[in-house]
Amino acid sequence: MRKLSATTVIVAVTVAVSLIATLVPNAVQVQVAAGFIPARLSGGLILSGLVVPAWLTPLSSALIHAGLFHLGMNMIMLGFTGKETERAIGAKGLVTLYLIGAYAACAAQWAAGPMSTAPMIGASGASSAVVGAYSLLYGRQRAKAIGPIPAQVVHVAWLAAAWVGVNLLTGFAFRQGGVSVAIWAHIGGFLMGLALARPMLLWRWRHA
């Protein structure tokens, strides 16, 4: 029997949990209870009742989504880049990258608005870490050294700048339509993916 990839397991679990959370009668309450809310970490908001501990919400928030379109887009992105990245860094590396990416995404969103009371949900932040690693591991390096700055560093800087630019423009466009997008979570996750791609690759082959 063929062993399931870590990417497939993450996608399957996320889809299952998201569908359940979407279909329950109190879906909005679930999003508040399990979503990442910056103000909870800053001490500006205390929730009563059955809620996920604040320090675990970077993980629980990645398991629930605001509808099928939100879920589908995130899972397509994760499914494609995740499988390829997993081939390079292995299942353990992929899971580690995804989990760290989830926390990095929430840390960036918190830094952008520590007193925000809006719940952040969705796997896009954690998935962005995988996209970042995929971009560095599989993208063609066409950058050239700039003075004392090595070509590899220039390449990483260009990837980071491009992702930041795209997300800022996307966030602005969606905001004009009255839709809020956690752009800083996307940026934080992607930057963490860039930072961990090479270390995860070395870690995998040192333990091969």
Side-chain angles (χ1 to χ4, degrees), residues 2-12 78-79 82-84 86-87 90-92 94-95:
R2 186 177 179 181
K3 185 179 180 181
L4 292 176
S5 68
T7 302
T8 300
V9 173
I10 293 173
V11 169
L78 176 59
K83 286 187 176 181
E84 297 302 319
E86 187 175 345
R87 290 180 182 178
K92 291 181 180 179
L94 189 282
V95 172

Side-chain angles (χ1 to χ4, degrees), residues 87-113:
R87 290 180 182 178
I89 65 176
K92 291 181 180 179
L94 189 282
V95 172
T96 301
L97 174 66
Y98 190 79
L99 295 178
I100 294 177
Y103 277 92
C106 289
Q109 195 67 22
W110 174 86

Side-chain angles (χ1 to χ4, degrees), residues 67-138:
L68 295 178
F69 179 78
H70 188 206
L71 173 63
M73 291 299 293
N74 281 340
M75 293 303 97
I76 290 173
M77 179 174 68
L78 176 59
F80 177 76
T81 60
K83 286 187 176 181
E84 297 302 319
T85 303
E86 187 175 345
R87 290 180 182 178
I89 65 176
K92 291 181 180 179
L94 189 282
V95 172
T96 301
L97 174 66
Y98 190 79
L99 295 178
I100 294 177
Y103 277 92
C106 289
Q109 195 67 22
W110 174 86
M115 297 308 296
S116 172
T117 57
M120 185 186 82
I121 58 174
S124 54
S127 297
S128 292
V130 180
V131 175
Y134 171 84
S135 300
L136 188 58
L137 293 171
Y138 291 99

Side-chain angles (χ1 to χ4, degrees), residues 4-197:
L4 292 176
S5 68
T7 302
T8 300
V9 173
I10 293 173
V11 169
V13 171
T14 303
V15 169
V17 175
S18 293
L19 290 178
I20 292 173
T22 301
L23 295 174
V24 295
N26 56 338
V28 175
Q29 287 84 347
V30 171
Q31 293 177 6
V32 173
F36 174 75
I37 304 177
R40 289 188 65 191
L41 292 184
S42 303
L45 178 66
I46 299 176
L47 298 179
S48 59
L50 185 62
V51 296
V52 176
W55 66 275
L56 279 177
T57 53
L59 302 181
S60 61
S61 63
L63 291 172
I64 54 179
H65 291 76
L68 295 178
F69 179 78
H70 188 206
L71 173 63
M73 291 299 293
N74 281 340
M75 293 303 97
I76 290 173
M77 179 174 68
L78 176 59
F80 177 76
T81 60
K83 286 187 176 181
E84 297 302 319
T85 303
E86 187 175 345
R87 290 180 182 178
I89 65 176
K92 291 181 180 179
L94 189 282
V95 172
T96 301
L97 174 66
Y98 190 79
L99 295 178
I100 294 177
Y103 277 92
C106 289
Q109 195 67 22
W110 174 86
M115 297 308 296
S116 172
T117 57
M120 185 186 82
I121 58 174
S124 54
S127 297
S128 292
V130 180
V131 175
Y134 171 84
S135 300
L136 188 58
L137 293 171
Y138 291 99
R140 289 186 178 182
Q141 180 174 320
R142 298 178 179 178
K144 297 181 180 180
I146 301 178
I149 305 176
Q152 179 65 29
V153 175
V154 176
H155 179 59
V156 172
W158 274 115
L159 288 174
W163 186 259
V164 171
V166 167
N167 275 276
L168 288 176
L169 290 174
T170 301
F172 177 78
F174 273 96
R175 191 175 295 116
Q176 298 306 303
V179 179
S180 179
V181 179
I183 59 172
W184 296 109
H186 300 172
I187 292 171
F190 187 85
L191 295 180
M192 182 57 69
L194 290 179
L196 291 180

